Structures are given as C-alpha cells and as structure tokens.
Amino acid sequence: MSGGARLENANPLIFQRTGERLQTANDEDEDVADPIDDREIFDLIRSINDPEHPLSLEELNVVEQVRVRVDDQENTVGVEFTPTIPHCSMATLIGLSIKVKLLRSLPERFKIDVHITPGTHASEDAVNKQLADKERVAAALENSQLLEVVNQCLISNARTG
Amino acid sequence: MAADSALLLGLVEEFVLGQQDRKAVDTATGKLKAGQFTILQLVEALGLHLTSSQPQTRGRGVQLLSNVLQECYGDLTEREVKVLIVFYENRLKDHYVITPHVIQGLKALTKCSVLPPGSAVSILKSLFQDIHVQSLMLAERSCVYNILIQLMESRESELKGLGADFVFGFVQSVDGERDPRNLLLAFHIARKIVHEGYDLGKFTEELFEVTSCYFPIDFSPPANDPHGITQEELVLALRVVLTGTPRFAEFLLPLIIEKLDSDVQSAKLDSLQTLTACASVYEHKDLAQFLPGLWASLRREVFQTASERVESAGLAAVGTLTACLSRSVLNSDSEDSLNVFLELVLKDCQHHLCEPDLKLVWPSAKLLQATSTASYRASHRVAAAVLPSLIEQYNSRTQCAQRRTLLEVLQGFVHPVTSSEEDESVLLDFRQSLCSIVFSALSESNADLQITSMRLLTALGQQTGLLLESDVELAVDHLTRLILEEGDPKVSLAVVECAGALARLHPAAFISKMVPRLKEEIFSGGLRSKAVRQRCVAALAAVSSRPSLVQESTPVLLQVLTSAHTGTGAFSLEEVISVCHSLQKIAEQAQDTEETGGVFHDVIPRLLGLALQAALQGSSGHCSPILEETVLSAMVPIISTTCARLQSRLAGQTASLAVSLFLDGDVSFLPENAFPTQIQLLKVSQSQMVCLLMGCVCWLPRTVEVPQMDRLLLELEELSCTCDHPLSYTSAAKCYAGLVNKSPAGEVLDSLIDRTLKRISTELDSASSPVRTQAFTLLLWVSKALLLRYHPLSTALTDKLFSLLSDPELGWLAADGFSLLMSDSPDVLNRGSHADVRIMYRQRFFTENSAKLVEGFNAAVQEKKSGYLKALSHIVNNLPRQVQLTELPALLPLLLEALSCPDQGVQVSTLSCLQPVLLDPPSALITQLEVLVGRTLALTTSPTMKVRIASLRCIHALSRFPEHEIMPFRARVLRALAAPLDDHKRVVRSEAAVARNEW
C-alpha cells in the first residue's frame, strides 16, 4: 500500500455503520430459541476488513443487510456483495473472505452461496463461478499465502466489534 | 618496612605467575589504603615484570596495577597520577594482549579528581591514535566509551579545546559498533556532543552518518535478556541525538522522507515521531527546502494509512511542523514558509471537503485541523479558507448524512482553535453563520443531525464570545423543546449532556427558561406520558451543577417526592425512584461550596420527614410509595453522598440530629412538625428506616464524631439480631459495621467486638435458633469492617466464617459471603464513605487464609466441597491480576476441580476468574492445558446459557496461547465448537463464532 503503490480506488464512498444489535429480553431467556436470521449473518460479515482500505465491508457498502438471505429451515444462506468499482480486482478475494468467514461461523448444516450482486462487476460470471466451486475454494485455502491475506481481512476489528 | 616490601614482592610474584588473583589485589589494595606502602612501591615491585620480554608477563603486571588502581584511584596524588598516565599512554603502543588491561587502568585514572590539567587531552589523543576501538572486545569498547563519558563530565572545557578532533576521534571509534549496550553509551556521548555545544567542525556529516545509520532502529532483545535493553530505550536515545541540532536538518529530513516510504510499520512510526521531535527544535529555514517532500509523505501516510497509530503520529508531525513554521520571524526578503506550507496543505485537502460522502473527507479534515490547532496564524489562515465553503455547503446540501458529516467536520474546527488573551477568536467572523447552522440543524427532525449539532453547540459554548446572551437563550429554548418532544434515547442523552455542559457556563438562562418550564411539565399531570416526565427529571439533574441552579432544581424534585407521598401527583414507583437517582446525581456533581452544602443540609431532614410520615401512615392503612423498599434504598445514596461531602460543622449537626431522631424520637427538626412524640424508630414497626440512618452516620467524614455512640451500637446490635425483616436487619448490620470500622482502636472497641462475637456465636451454635441468618449477616459485615482496617480481631471472625462453610444451612450463604467480603460494597464501607480501608487488604486476606481454605476443602466430605470451591473462586475473582498470576500455580488444581463441580454458580464464577488470566497465560497454565481444554469444552454444552457463554470466552482466550502449545488441540476444539455454533441462543452462537474464527 505504501511506497507509491497506487490504490485502484483511492477515494471511495463511505457509508455509516449500523450499531450493535440491541439485546432483547428474549435473548436473555433460556427457553426461547432464536432462529438464525439475516441480521445475524450480516453481523458476522459486516466487520470483515476491506483488503485495501482500513474500512469494513459495511462502511464501503460492499455488503448490505438487504442482500443477505437466510432460510433456517432449509439450511441455506445466500449473500450478494457489491464491489466498489466494476473493475475491482479484489472482488474474488472479498468473496472468498466472506465465504471463509461464514464457513467458520455457521453450523455445518448450512449451504453457503456467495456471489456478486448482478450487474455490478465486469467479470461477474467468472468470479461467481470461482466462488461456487467447492474444489477451487478448498484449493485456494491450501495456499498459505492466500490464506494469510484472507485471515488479514477477517481479523476482528475492535472498532466494529 | 623491609618485611612489607618482601610481602609485596611475594604478592606480585604470585599474581604474575597466575597463582593468586583476587587475593593479591585485595591485600595490595588494603595495604595501600592503610598507608603501609605507596603506589610507587608497588610499581617498583612490579618493575621486573613490567619490563619483561614476555607480553603475557607484562600483561599480568599491568593487570595487577590496573586492578589495584580501580580500587584506590581516590587516594592518588596529582604527581602519581601524572606519572601513571604517561606510563599507561606508552603501554597503549605495546602488544595487543596488554591493551585491555591498559584501558582498564586508564579508566580508573580518569576517575581521579586530581587529574592534572592537559592529561585528559593527552589520554584521548593517544587513545584515538594508538588503538582501533572496533577491533577490541565488547567489554573494552565499553571501557573506552566510559572513559569518554567520564572525561566529558569532568573536563568538558579541555575537551572542547580539542575542537573537531574530538568529534572525529569519537566518530572513528564508534563507526561499526553493533552491541546494543555499547550503542546506548555511544548515543549518550553523541547526545552530549550535540547538546553541550562541542565544535562539530567539518565532521557534522560524519557524526550524523555514524549515528543515523542505525535509524530506524529494529531491535528485538533475545528472550530472557539479562541486560534488559529495550528497543524503546535505543529509539529514544538515538532520537535525542538526531533531533539535537538544526545542523543535522539537511541530512535528517531526506532520511526521514526516505524511511517514511518503508513498509515496516514501526519504521514509519519512528520516522514520524522523530520528525515531530525535530520540528520542535528546528527553525523554519531548516525545514523550508524539504517542505514539499515532507508534505507529500505525510499526506500519503494520513490518507492511505492502515493503522491509527501511524495516522495520529502523522497528524502530530503536521501539527508541530506548522507550529515550527509559525514561530519563525520573517525577514523582509524571505518568503513566508508557513504560507507556503499551508498553501500546499490547503491545495491538497480543501477540495476533499466538498465531497462529504467520500472517504477522504475525514483525513483531509483531520490534517487541516491539525494545522489549525498548531498556531494562531495557521488557524486564521485555515479558517478563512475552509469555513466559508463548509458553511455554504451545509446550507446548499439537502441530504442528512452529508450535512451531518459537514457538521462534524465543523465541530472539529471549532473545538481546537486556541486563542490567547489578546487575540480574539478566529471564529468570531463566522459566529453568526455557525450559530444559525446549529439552530437550523436543531430544528431538523433527523436524530443524528440533532445530536451532532448539539455537540457543535457545546463546542461553541466552550469558547468565549462565540455565543451571545440571546444565542444562549435560543439554545436553551431548543434544548427544552427537544427534552419535551424527542423520544429517541440517543437524542435525549445528547440533550442532557449538552444542557449539562452549557448550564455550567450560563446558569442564568437555564434558571429563567428551562427550570420553570420543566417544573410545569412535571406537575402538569396526566396529559404527558411518563417518559416525558422522566426526561424532564433527568434534565433537571444534569443542569444542576452551579449552586444557583441546584437551589432552583432540588425543591422541584423534593416536591415530586412529597406529592407522590400524598398521592396527589399520580407518580408511579419508577418515577419516584428516578427522582431519587436524580437527586443523588445532583449531590454528586454539585460543586462543593457553602451554598450547595446548605441546600443539601436541608434536604436530609425533608427526606427523613417524608419517610417517617410514610412509615407512620403505613401502619394506618394508606400506602405511600415512599414506604417501598426500593424507594428507601434509592434514598440512601442521596443521604450518604450528601453526608460524605458536608463540611464538618454541618456534618456534626446532621449527625447529632439524626441520632437523636433515631434513639430518642426527637422529631423537632423535621419540617411539617406533625409527628407523635413517642416514636421508637429502632423498634420493629418502623425499623426499615434504619437504612437511612446508615446512609447518614456511616458516610460522615471520620473527623466528625457521632454522639451517643455506645447506645447507638447497642440498639443496632439488638435490632440486627432480633428483627426478622431482611432490609432492616441487613441495614442495621451494615450500619453497625460502618460505625465499628471508624471507631478508634482500643479496649472499648475490643470489648465491644468480643461481646458481639459471643452473642453471634451463641445464636449460630444453637441449631434451632430462629435468628441464625440474622446473626450470620451481622458476623459477615463486622468481619468486613474489621478486615478492611487490619484489626487483629478480624481473624477470629473470618475463622468463624470458614467454619460455617460446612454448615448445612448457612454453608451456601457463607460461600457467597466471601464475595461480599472481598468486593467493594456500594452503600457502606468504601472509600467514598471515608471508611478506614487499608490498601491491599484483599491480598493480605488471601495470603493468610488460602491455606485454611485448601485444608478445609481437603478435609470436607464430598457434598460440602463445592462450598469451599465457591468461596475460593469468589476470593480469587476479586484479587488484583498481578496477585492472581503469582498465586495461580498453587490454586490451579483446585480451580480445575471447580470446573467439574456440578454447581453452575461455581462454574460461572470459576470461568470468569480464569478468563482474564488466560489472556496472559502464565507457564503453569500451559502444563495443564490438556485438562483445561477438556473441561472447558465439556462446559460448552452445559444446560445454562451463562456457563456456555463463559466457557466459550475461555476457549476464545485459549486461542492466544503460544501456537506450538495449542496446535495439537486445534482439530479437537474446532470440532467441539461446531456444536455451540448451532446453539438455540443467538448470544451463545455469536460467542462460539468469535471463538471458532480465532482458532
């Protein structure tokens, strides 16, 4: 980032962060079962760091709560993310980060689907295909250098908590 | 004499041949000091060896002499020193095996106070000439540096006479030094050279090169480093050298610019901090030529940084740079470098402020704010360039988010502008438009906008002259309106904060405008919702910081209590309680003056009167909310906070009135004097009012004497042992304990405690006694009172508590009692109440009693063990971390045992005690890792939510252990954590997700 390297998008739009989820009385109650909902998934991914900015995906509006779909009964999770610019070379990395975070944080019963919001990226299909391919995701995570970068994005950020 | 010289010869012989080492030196030194022979005789005795043809023998000879000199350099005469110096200087030219000893000897000689003039110079000349420092061993190099330091301290003027040669010599000897210990010495010398005005001559660049080659320092001390040198020390030592003189500027600044490009975070940080340090020393002409380069690097760091530390260091550097440039005195022909720099900054930052949606708004604003805080001139320039456009933009933009950002940026500019006495505030020109922006934002409906504008308003209020009288009144109107109309909790909080801050500065407007309006609203009844009244009460409490405001607001609140009591105002229980909290808040924040003291002195009788009335009526059927325990408990802190802050005259008065009320039923001082004359407050029916007495007498300053102490204590003891009403007997016990804690040590106190202990024991020992719980409560509180003041009798009481752990009825209570014993209680026996609290009483209690506890645990039968574990976990939980860490190895087996104890309370308490320790694991824990992981993982499926959460947190903490230790467990933990990920409670799931991601 330093030493004169240019950022692809040096001055992106930033959006406000949502606050912490409010604790309700039900959350304290032992006997009420809380279903996994959109907000819970969104809370998991919103604090992921952008690979090039010291900002979270939420602040860059890469992920939004309305683009998260969960079906607790059917065991499926779908996340759409929007790269900041159509040529963003980091799109695959961001997608991979989201996928890894969800893989690590959700029960195994869920099928996780991560793809780019339709019409927001130049090579949308290619990226989507890569992200949907289990083998390729697994192979990517074998690559220690790539895993390092992904972990960097996932390091929990104290500000967003 | 002859015998002496024979002895001497013998010693020398033995030493040189290597048969004796320390002993020869010691004997020789002893004799020399005793005056039995002179150093000259020693040299004569050595003569043969010093001229020997064997370098080794010569070496041993010189070594003996040097060792002796090190011990007795103080006894030498000037003539002897002169001779010895000539000798040693000659020896420098000798064989290399001798050199180390020669240097040792020279070092000893330089410490002589009688060093003849000129010898310092000659020593240095021969040192620089005859030896190549870097080819010496570590210890000898350090010796050379020490010689330099010594001479610089004692013979400064002579060394300065050497001129640039000295610097050159130093540069030569340091060049290539690698050991951190020696580097610290070398930096020390360089600092002296730079700071104490040695002539650098043409060697400025050389001196800079030889030190700056270490910049930025990257040093990680080896583990278990005995010398304890840290990177921090080296960095600071070097920074002092580099920033020491403006003559380094032309070399240092390019170096900094270059190092800022580095990818290493610490290098960047160090460069920025060095820049900050040197900018405070340099003058503008040193900086002028590098400004564009520096600015480019600084801008990049702030705009694109990934770390907040780098960013703040960058901002600090910009600030000091501006300050430095502003200090400069202008010549008519030089250009104004401050202007040049600000021109650069403005050019790069200003246009970003026009795009309030984009990311770079913030860094730009921060940079501009950093420059404008640095000096008056800079703030003038920046404000003139930036504020108009910001204000105009605010007025033209319509989106709330954008306007909010603009307001926040504006606030940043308002906040820091410093204006000295004679300069009028830079913002004065923009006063009008800033105020109108604030008021227009306050009347928007967007909550964020309102909150931000209130912050801006507060910032404006802090600056003199920015808010006119009429503005303040307008602001108060706005705030009052927001209190009455805005239900958003965030907005209310901001209103309360803002009102509190402004009320401190402009009390008059609040008295005339806000207080009457709120009062009207509170008593208007019915129409408004409860929430509005609640906000009014909270706001009243927040603005009451000035005595004049306190005088206005407390009567309103008291009136609420009265009308609640009489039932006219339809106030609910929660409202009454919140009024009590507000009164307490006022008591806490009110400035400590005679006036406020007086106000509150009147509050206490009114509260007592109300409570008494309520209590009396309570028996006759009508039920007043004041009678509720929760309300009474809320009243206690009002009384106690007030009492703790009363000046002693008023405090004494209050104490005697309260005591006579409770002991004798003296009601004469209460307002609305309509009480029956014969009331006995410490007897059963009105007994719960004793908590008010506790608030009063236990919080008085220790200098105030409580009258009729003995009778009071007797009555309290009686009450606490006989009453069956929990609040009453507990309060009585607390009150008793609070008084015991403060009473002077001596026989009276001892016999009192003895008496009480006997009574308690009798009650406790008879298993059928109906008041065992009461006796236990009293025991617990008295133990705490004595424990806090290190009273010798406290052991007897705590032993009693330990023995109760195995009691079938009270064992559980006793175990919980230890948490009370070790933690601070909010209502009595704390520092706020002027109690006698010794430091580290927890540690003391722990060290004295942990063994007993362990013993008791081992002796107890299986069913009773959990009580001990619970007590232990309570005690350990409250210990300071430092003690926890040292004590942990001994206690770990017990704590691990506690984890498998079936009681969930014990589990939670133990886990919460382990978790902080795990964040910085001691080595003892690592050996137990296997058991620890096993037990905590088992608890993640516990039926209780709290246990699951606590255990997941522990597992999270475990992930920070050294990697090689936890590697073997990784797969197992990850598998085990899959289960809580699918927990039916969301809170548990999120903890599990965090923990699993870390693993």
Side-chain angles (χ1 to χ4, degrees):
Chain A
M1 255 172 76
S2 52
R6 299 299 308 161
L7 298 181
E8 283 186 6
N9 184 6
N11 195 4
L13 273 165
I14 44 175
F15 292 80
Q16 220 185 328
R17 292 200 297 271
T18 47
E20 292 283 293
R21 183 184 193 129
L22 293 174
Q23 291 262 337
T24 58
N26 274 348
D27 287 329
E28 307 286 339
D29 189 347
E30 285 283 347
D31 304 324
V32 181
D34 314 318
I36 295 181
D37 58 12
D38 295 357
R39 178 63 206 254
E40 184 170 345
I41 302 292
F42 182 62
D43 276 339
L44 287 173
I45 57 175
R46 71 191 178 100
S47 58
I48 298 177
N49 292 326
D50 183 84
E52 20 174 61
H53 297 285
L55 295 167
S56 66
L57 293 187
E58 181 187 16
E59 286 170 299
L60 293 171
N61 216 28
V62 173
V63 290
E64 291 163 277
Q65 193 176 338
V66 291
R67 299 198 188 282
V68 176
R69 276 171 293 96
V70 181
D71 195 330
D72 201 12
Q73 303 303 314
E74 300 287 318
N75 298 334
T76 54
V77 173
V79 176
E80 287 179 352
F81 67 99
T82 320
T84 50
I85 44 172
H87 309 286
C88 185
S89 60
M90 298 289 175
T92 331
L93 182 58
I94 295 175
L96 190 62
S97 302
I98 297 175
K99 186 134 192 171
V100 170
K101 173 92 185 186
L102 290 180
L103 279 174
R104 287 180 187 170
S105 319
L106 288 177
E108 282 164 28
R109 59 190 169 90
F110 279 99
K111 181 184 185 308
I112 298 161
D113 176 30
V114 176
H115 55 261
I116 295 181
T117 315
T120 56
H121 196 268
S123 45
E124 189 184 320
D125 291 337
V127 175
N128 282 345
K129 203 169 169 189
Q130 280 188 33
L131 287 173
D133 189 338
K134 265 189 198 167
E135 303 280 316
R136 289 187 72 163
V137 171
L141 295 182
E142 300 277 308
N143 178 339
S144 63
Q145 233 174 341
L146 193 55
L147 191 62
E148 182 77 5
V149 182
V150 170
N151 281 337
Q152 208 63 49
C153 296
L154 296 187
I155 280 178
S156 49
N157 192 331
R159 285 186 308 141
T160 46
Chain B
M1 204 63 204
D4 276 346
S5 62
L7 176 80
L8 196 58
L9 274 175
L11 274 176
V12 167
E13 190 69 26
E14 280 178 14
F15 184 87
V16 173
L17 291 179
Q19 292 163 338
Q20 293 271 0
D21 250 7
R22 211 49 243 173
K23 189 165 156 245
V25 176
D26 286 346
T27 334
T29 322
K31 302 235 172 213
L32 201 70
K33 283 205 164 154
Q36 284 175 2
F37 55 83
T38 62
I39 194 87
L40 209 63
Q41 280 169 308
L42 178 66
V43 177
E44 273 169 13
L46 277 167
L48 214 58
H49 306 292
L50 292 180
T51 52
S52 155
S53 61
Q54 288 294 313
Q56 264 78 11
T57 316
R58 292 204 300 277
R60 284 301 277 185
V62 175
Q63 189 183 357
L64 176 62
L65 187 59
S66 299
N67 284 349
V68 173
L69 281 177
Q70 265 167 26
E71 302 290 333
C72 54
Y73 57 84
D75 304 330
L76 301 178
T77 65
E78 185 172 332
R79 224 169 57 80
E80 285 169 338
V81 174
K82 201 167 185 174
V83 174
L84 285 169
I85 287 179
V86 173
F87 166 71
Y88 272 111
E89 283 175 2
N90 264 316
R91 287 304 92 192
L92 279 174
K93 300 189 175 68
D94 203 343
H95 196 270
Y96 67 89
V97 291
I98 305 175
T99 318
H101 309 306
V102 177
I103 294 175
Q104 291 284 353
L106 276 176
K107 183 181 152 200
L109 285 173
T110 53
K111 289 188 197 154
C112 285
S113 50
V114 291
L115 201 64
S119 52
V121 172
S122 78
I123 291 177
L124 286 179
K125 276 196 172 146
S126 7
L127 264 182
F128 292 151
Q129 205 168 20
D130 295 326
I131 55 171
H132 180 235
V133 178
Q134 288 309 317
S135 57
L136 297 174
M137 299 296 284
L138 174 73
E140 280 78 55
R141 295 203 303 268
S142 133
C143 229
V144 172
Y145 299 134
N146 275 319
I147 293 177
L148 289 180
I149 293 176
Q150 187 63 39
L151 289 176
M152 285 174 97
E153 257 155 35
S154 56
R155 293 285 182 274
E156 191 183 325
S157 56
E158 282 182 43
L159 296 196
K160 281 185 179 161
L162 258 179
D165 286 348
F166 175 65
V167 177
F168 182 64
F170 168 70
V171 168
Q172 273 199 321
S173 32
V174 176
D175 199 0
E177 179 63 63
R178 284 172 316 278
D179 188 84
R181 284 161 282 174
N182 285 343
L183 275 179
L184 273 184
L185 293 175
F187 290 156
H188 180 72
I189 301 172
R191 191 194 64 146
K192 281 174 113 43
I193 293 180
V194 167
H195 283 260
E196 289 171 10
Y198 285 82
D199 180 16
L200 298 183
K202 52 184 187 294
F203 298 114
T204 314
E205 186 167 2
E206 276 78 3
L207 182 61
F208 177 76
E209 285 297 327
V210 86
T211 45
S212 69
C213 62
Y214 302 102
F215 180 84
I217 284 175
D218 179 23
F219 169 65
S220 42
N224 60 45
D225 174 33
H227 311 289
I229 293 177
T230 58
Q231 162 146 4
E232 194 64 28
E233 264 178 281
L234 285 166
V235 166
L236 291 180
L238 177 59
R239 188 174 302 155
V240 175
V241 176
L242 294 182
T243 59
T245 167
R247 296 184 60 185
F248 282 163
E250 54 176 320
F251 314 113
L252 178 60
L253 294 173
L255 182 69
I256 287 180
I257 294 175
E258 180 194 321
K259 295 297 176 194
L260 276 174
D261 282 346
S262 155
D263 276 329
V264 187
Q265 285 285 317
S266 67
K268 274 188 190 182
L269 210 55
D270 191 9
S271 309
L272 288 169
Q273 283 162 351
T274 309
L275 180 60
T276 312
C278 69
S280 55
V281 185
Y282 289 0
E283 288 184 21
H284 70 104
K285 59 178 188 300
D286 305 318
L287 292 168
Q289 143 191 29
F290 301 102
L291 283 177
L294 281 174
W295 166 244
S297 302
L298 286 170
R299 184 193 56 197
R300 191 192 58 227
E301 288 318 312
V302 177
F303 275 8
Q304 294 180 11
T305 183
S307 116
E308 282 177 28
R309 287 180 65 203
V310 173
E311 185 189 271
S312 59
L315 291 174
V318 171
T320 39
L321 271 182
T322 320
C324 168
L325 295 173
S326 317
R327 275 200 308 274
S328 61
V329 181
L330 287 184
N331 301 332
S332 51
D333 53 344
S334 71
E335 59 176 344
D336 181 0
S337 41
L338 175 65
N339 249 339
V340 177
F341 184 64
L342 289 179
E343 213 53 66
L344 284 171
V345 178
L346 284 170
K347 192 182 102 217
D348 284 333
C349 292
Q350 204 173 5
H351 66 96
H352 288 305
L353 292 184
C354 303
E355 299 158 334
D357 274 339
L358 302 186
K359 177 197 161 199
L360 289 181
V361 173
W362 281 113
S364 309
K366 282 181 193 161
L367 279 170
L368 287 169
Q369 282 154 11
T371 51
S372 74
T373 36
S375 76
Y376 182 69
R377 269 171 65 204
S379 67
H380 232 310
R381 180 87 175 73
V382 174
V386 171
L387 286 184
S389 98
L390 282 175
I391 292 169
E392 189 212 306
Q393 272 193 74
Y394 178 85
N395 291 328
S396 59
R397 302 261 173 182
T398 48
Q399 278 184 37
C400 284
Q402 295 177 338
R403 299 176 88 173
R404 193 181 79 116
T405 311
L406 287 166
L407 272 183
E408 278 175 10
V409 173
L410 271 175
Q411 187 207 339
F413 281 105
V414 173
H415 210 51
V417 176
T418 48
S419 51
S420 52
E421 290 293 315
E422 64 267 31
D423 301 325
E424 53 183 16
S425 173
V426 179
L427 298 168
L428 221 49
D429 300 339
F430 307 102
R431 199 192 61 78
Q432 195 66 49
S433 35
L434 280 175
C435 287
S436 68
I437 285 185
V438 168
F439 293 133
S440 86
L442 278 176
S443 29
E444 292 285 334
S445 59
N446 181 290
D448 286 330
L449 216 50
Q450 287 170 345
I451 293 171
T452 325
S453 61
M454 277 184 274
R455 291 212 192 100
L456 181 55
L457 179 62
T458 316
L460 285 173
Q462 312 290 346
Q463 307 255 331
T464 40
L466 286 189
L467 286 184
L468 299 181
E469 206 54 40
S470 57
D471 295 325
V472 174
E473 279 177 15
L474 195 57
V476 173
D477 282 342
H478 273 291
L479 292 176
T480 316
R481 180 182 55 78
L482 287 175
I483 292 171
L484 299 180
E485 288 168 10
E486 275 303 327
D488 186 336
K490 277 191 288 180
V491 179
S492 322
L493 195 69
V495 175
V496 166
E497 266 171 29
C498 177
L502 287 181
R504 211 161 295 141
L505 302 163
H506 310 280
F510 282 84
I511 292 175
S512 62
K513 291 244 164 190
M514 189 182 261
V515 176
R517 182 85 184 86
L518 293 183
K519 182 179 174 184
E520 182 189 321
E521 206 58 46
I522 291 175
F523 291 105
S524 68
L527 293 170
R528 295 282 187 173
S529 71
K530 251 197 267 177
V532 177
R533 284 207 298 245
Q534 200 97 352
R535 288 202 299 271
C536 292
V537 169
L540 266 186
V543 298
S544 308
S545 49
R546 287 303 190 95
S548 52
L549 269 166
V550 173
Q551 262 166 352
E552 295 296 321
S553 61
T554 40
V556 179
L557 294 176
L558 282 174
Q559 202 182 334
V560 175
L561 289 184
T562 319
S563 70
H565 165 63
T566 52
T568 49
F571 292 100
S572 70
L573 198 59
E574 299 96 75
E575 281 180 274
V576 177
I577 292 173
S578 86
V579 168
C580 288
H581 286 319
S582 302
L583 276 170
Q584 182 197 349
K585 199 167 160 233
I586 297 177
E588 276 165 9
Q589 72 190 10
Q591 284 155 346
D592 210 5
T593 61
E594 200 75 29
E595 273 175 273
T596 38
V599 173
F600 275 98
H601 181 63
D602 297 335
V603 169
I604 296 177
R606 290 200 55 181
L607 288 175
L608 286 175
L610 274 176
L612 187 55
Q613 276 181 349
L616 289 175
Q617 284 175 6
S619 40
S620 66
H622 168 79
C623 208
S624 150
I626 309 282
L627 208 55
E628 295 288 334
E629 277 181 23
T630 42
V631 178
L632 272 182
S633 317
M635 275 164 116
V636 176
I638 311 176
I639 296 185
S640 53
T641 327
T642 318
C643 281
R645 302 186 57 173
L646 278 182
Q647 272 117 349
S648 32
R649 187 181 56 83
L650 290 177
Q653 223 174 327
T654 313
S656 63
L657 288 177
V659 171
S660 66
L661 169 68
F662 278 87
L663 285 181
D664 308 323
D666 178 3
V667 291
S668 55
F669 74 99
L670 298 179
E672 300 162 41
N673 198 343
F675 301 100
T677 39
Q678 282 304 309
I679 44 173
Q680 288 181 310
L681 283 173
L682 293 179
K683 293 292 175 275
V684 182
S685 67
Q686 283 96 33
S687 60
Q688 54 174 342
M689 271 185 71
V690 76
C691 66
L692 298 181
L693 176 67
M694 170 191 81
C696 186
V697 293
C698 290
W699 281 67
L700 292 170
R702 241 183 289 171
T703 47
V704 177
E705 204 169 321
V706 179
Q708 307 191 60
M709 185 73 145
D710 298 333
R711 217 180 119 209
L712 187 60
L713 284 174
L714 209 61
E715 297 263 358
L716 284 170
E717 184 191 320
E718 183 62 30
L719 179 65
S720 71
C721 285
T722 52
C723 183
D724 56 355
H725 183 243
L727 179 65
S728 305
Y729 69 73
T730 316
S731 304
K734 283 182 190 173
C735 189
Y736 184 83
L739 291 173
V740 163
N741 179 267
K742 285 184 194 174
S743 36
E747 268 177 39
V748 187
L749 181 64
D750 290 352
S751 65
L752 178 82
I753 297 169
D754 268 341
R755 196 190 66 211
T756 315
L757 186 57
K758 273 207 198 83
R759 178 160 185 184
I760 294 174
S761 304
T762 341
E763 299 290 357
L764 286 176
D765 289 344
S766 73
S768 59
S769 166
V771 290
R772 288 192 81 205
T773 325
Q774 282 87 326
F776 166 74
T777 313
L778 184 59
L779 171 68
L780 188 61
W781 282 102
V782 177
S783 319
K784 185 167 165 83
L786 295 181
L787 180 67
L788 289 181
R789 60 181 281 185
Y790 286 0
H791 194 278
L793 281 174
S794 68
T795 339
L797 290 152
T798 46
D799 283 349
K800 187 87 197 153
L801 279 177
F802 278 116
S803 69
L804 281 176
L805 279 176
S806 49
D807 186 288
E809 271 178 56
L810 295 175
W812 219 227
L813 274 180
D816 280 332
F818 281 97
S819 108
L820 194 147
L821 215 52
M822 299 302 281
S823 56
D824 284 323
S825 64
D827 49 2
V828 73
L829 287 177
N830 49 35
R831 286 181 204 278
S833 67
H834 305 285
D836 187 357
V837 182
R838 302 294 180 84
I839 49 167
M840 311 225 277
Y841 74 91
R842 296 189 180 94
Q843 287 90 314
R844 198 174 126 127
F845 178 73
F846 176 75
T847 37
E848 280 172 5
N849 293 302
S850 62
K852 285 183 206 162
L853 204 55
V854 175
E855 233 167 73
F857 171 79
N858 290 332
V861 285
Q862 197 57 44
E863 305 88 76
K864 298 277 167 18
K865 279 188 195 272
S866 60
Y868 284 93
L869 289 175
K870 194 170 190 181
L872 179 72
S873 66
H874 280 316
I875 296 175
V876 176
N877 232 339
N878 283 302
L879 283 177
R881 245 181 65 74
Q882 229 42 45
V883 187
Q884 278 183 352
L885 284 182
T886 49
E887 297 298 335
L888 202 73
L891 295 174
L892 203 58
L894 269 187
L895 287 177
L896 289 176
E897 188 74 25
L899 283 183
S900 51
C901 158
D903 180 72
Q904 281 154 359
V906 178
Q907 288 171 355
V908 172
S909 152
T910 315
L911 286 170
S912 59
C913 149
L914 272 175
Q915 197 242 350
V917 182
L918 292 177
L919 291 178
D920 185 12
S923 52
L925 262 177
I926 293 177
T927 51
Q928 301 275 2
L929 204 57
E930 173 80 48
V931 191
L932 195 59
V933 171
R935 299 245 162 106
T936 35
L937 281 181
L939 289 179
T940 57
T941 48
S942 149
T944 323
M945 190 166 94
K946 282 202 183 110
V947 178
R948 292 202 298 266
I949 293 175
S951 61
L952 285 170
R953 288 201 178 134
C954 280
I955 291 172
H956 181 194
L958 282 174
S959 72
R960 311 223 180 116
F961 274 47
E963 186 137 350
H964 60 278
E965 297 288 351
I966 54 170
M967 203 61 183
F969 300 103
R970 179 166 288 162
R972 181 174 155 202
V973 172
L974 287 180
R975 228 175 311 123
L977 284 181
L981 278 183
D982 208 5
D983 198 276
H984 70 277
K985 296 307 298 175
R986 186 175 296 126
V987 202
V988 179
R989 286 199 299 261
S990 64
E991 290 293 343
V994 172
R996 197 163 189 246
N997 274 302
E998 288 301 320
W999 277 83

